[in-house]
Amino acid sequence: MSSSEQVRTTARRARSTIAVVLALAVAAVIGLALGYQAVATPVLSAASPGGAPHGDGRAADAPGPGDRARPAPGLPPPPPDGTGWAVTDGVTVDDGVVPDGVTVFDGRFPAVADLDPDLLSAVREAATAAAHDGVEFSVTSGWRSPAYQEHLLREAVAEYGSAEEAARWVATAETSAHVTGDAVDIGPADATAWLSEHGAEYGLCQVYGNEPWHYELRPGAAEDGCPAPYADPTHDPRLQQ
């Protein structure tokens, strides 16, 4: 091979090498660009925390216009007919029906909110003190509408077999302290036991011997103690109408 041919061969090899290097460089640049785009633009899917599986742009955990609000912990959800948390033969929470788990601090319910303000304040003060002893007050009944009171009286007559026996447990709508918001029924048993021992300090007194859950406000009890309870409502002169 002549010297001129050697020069031409060497030049061709150099150009081929340069072309290969340039091709590899271009491929590397394209690969880096595609990788950056994949990182910078995440794919949204129903499984992604930021996705929109609802099909309307909402995130997976965002409530939609048809989603029902969740009730507070410990309370049952409202029924779908819109009548409230609890319904008993036509009377609802608006009449004073109390779902399980309601405390003296739960002013969403008329049974609590419509109690006499002084009574409610005393019960809440007592409940706060009891909580330090590990005791929680639940409201099993509070304010009641006349319709609810009459409903309870009819139930009592059916259960006990006569109006006379029912009167030992349920007053009429005209005489009940629940209807005026002046009585509250507290549970569970450890709460009534706590009130039996400490209630007088807050003016809270058990009124009937057969109802350890029924408390009313007696402002003088803090100094003089609670008066002796009546055996049952039929012995209460306030109810003799």
Side-chain angles (χ1 to χ4, degrees):
M1 179 182 295
S2 65
S3 59
S4 60
E5 289 176 340
Q6 289 179 345
V7 170
R8 286 195 296 273
T9 299
T10 301
R12 284 196 299 271
R13 289 175 178 173
R15 287 195 296 272
S16 297
T17 301
I18 292 172
V20 170
V21 171
L22 288 174
L24 291 174
V26 170
V29 170
I30 293 174
L32 289 173
L34 291 175
Y36 174 80
Q37 183 178 10
V39 172
T41 309
V43 177
L44 297 181
S45 68
S48 301
H54 298 289
D56 58 4
R58 290 181 290 115
D61 57 351
D67 295 336
R68 294 178 62 82
R70 296 179 181 177
L75 293 179
D81 59 5
T83 49
W85 266 273
V87 182
T88 305
D89 293 343
V91 292
T92 73
V93 290
D94 292 334
D95 294 292
V97 176
V98 182
D100 292 338
V102 173
T103 75
V104 299
F105 300 100
D106 202 336
R108 294 175 298 167
F109 298 95
V112 176
D114 290 347
L115 288 172
D116 172 78
D118 291 335
L119 171 61
L120 181 57
S121 177
V123 172
R124 285 177 169 174
E125 186 179 356
T128 300
H132 292 298
D133 294 333
V135 177
E136 183 178 15
F137 287 12
S138 293
V139 175
T140 59
S141 193
W143 170 86
R144 301 170 187 159
S145 71
Y148 185 26
Q149 188 67 30
E150 290 297 339
H151 167 78
L152 293 176
L153 183 57
R154 289 193 299 271
E155 282 191 335
V157 171
E159 179 178 355
Y160 295 110
S162 69
E164 291 75 15
E165 185 62 21
R168 297 185 59 244
W169 302 97
V170 182
T172 65
E174 292 76 23
T175 61
S176 172
H178 283 283
V179 173
T180 59
D182 293 315
V184 62
D185 294 349
I186 297 295
D190 61 341
T192 57
W194 192 95
L195 277 174
S196 178
E197 182 177 354
H198 303 286
E201 301 171 27
Y202 305 91
L204 298 170
C205 296
Q206 178 185 341
V207 177
Y208 304 120
N210 66 333
E211 296 186 1
W213 52 82
H214 180 109
Y215 276 80
E216 298 181 23
L217 187 64
R218 299 289 185 268
E223 295 182 1
D224 304 327
C226 289
Y230 301 110
D232 60 57
T234 62
H235 293 81
D236 187 345
R238 301 173 302 169
L239 276 57
Q240 308 308 313
Q241 294 185 9

